Amino acid sequence: GEARALALARLLGHAGVTHLFASEYRRTQATLRPLADATGHRPVIIPAADGAALLAAIAALPAGAVAVVAGHSNTVPGLVIALGGEVRGATNSPSGPQLPDDAYDRLFVVTVPARGEVRALELRYGDGP
C-alpha cells in the first residue's frame, strides 16, 4: 500500500491537483498522504456510505479544479458513472457496480468540460495484482 501511495503521488504530484477527498477509513487517507504532502492540500473526509455528499462536493468545485478521490471497490464505480463516465470490468452487486477487490491499480480520470461530452479515462499505476 505504501509503495502504491508513493507511485500515485509521483504520477499526480505535478498534475495541478487542487482538492483531495477520502473516506473515513485509514486506507484511503494513507493512499492520499504522500500526494497531500506533495501538493500541500489536505483531504476532505466524506463517509464512504455518503456518495451523494461526495458528488455534491465535487459538483461544487470551481471550474478548472482537479480533484483526486481515494475510494473503494464498491464506491468508485458508482461515482464515475454518476459523473457521466464508464467503468469497464465492474460486476453488479446488490449495492451497485463493484470493482474486483484486488483492483488497487485502477485510476479513473473523469473530465467534466464546461460544455460538451463527459469523458472518463482509466489508468493503472504501480504494480498490478
Side-chain angles (χ1 to χ4, degrees):
E2 289 179 21
R4 193 173 305 282
L6 290 170
L8 182 67
R10 279 192 305 275
L11 179 67
L12 299 177
H14 299 286
V17 172
T18 59
H19 297 80
L20 301 172
F21 295 95
S23 73
E24 72 275 26
Y25 296 104
R26 185 175 48 198
R27 179 175 282 185
T28 59
Q29 294 173 40
T31 296
L32 291 181
R33 190 166 297 120
L35 183 57
D37 291 344
T39 63
H41 299 295
R42 295 290 153 226
V44 173
I45 307 303
I46 298 179
D50 198 352
L54 180 55
L55 277 171
I58 291 170
L61 294 176
V66 177
V68 176
V69 177
H72 305 274
S73 61
N74 63 341
T75 63
V76 169
L79 176 63
V80 172
I81 292 167
L83 290 169
E86 181 181 341
V87 178
R88 292 184 177 95
T91 58
N92 291 321
S93 74
S95 62
Q98 185 166 327
L99 296 171
D101 286 335
D102 64 350
Y104 299 117
D105 66 334
R106 294 179 75 170
L107 177 81
F108 296 88
V109 177
V110 179
T111 304
V112 182
R115 292 191 175 125
E117 182 178 317
V118 172
R119 301 215 182 253
L121 170 68
E122 179 183 344
L123 303 172
R124 297 193 181 214
Y125 68 101
D127 296 327

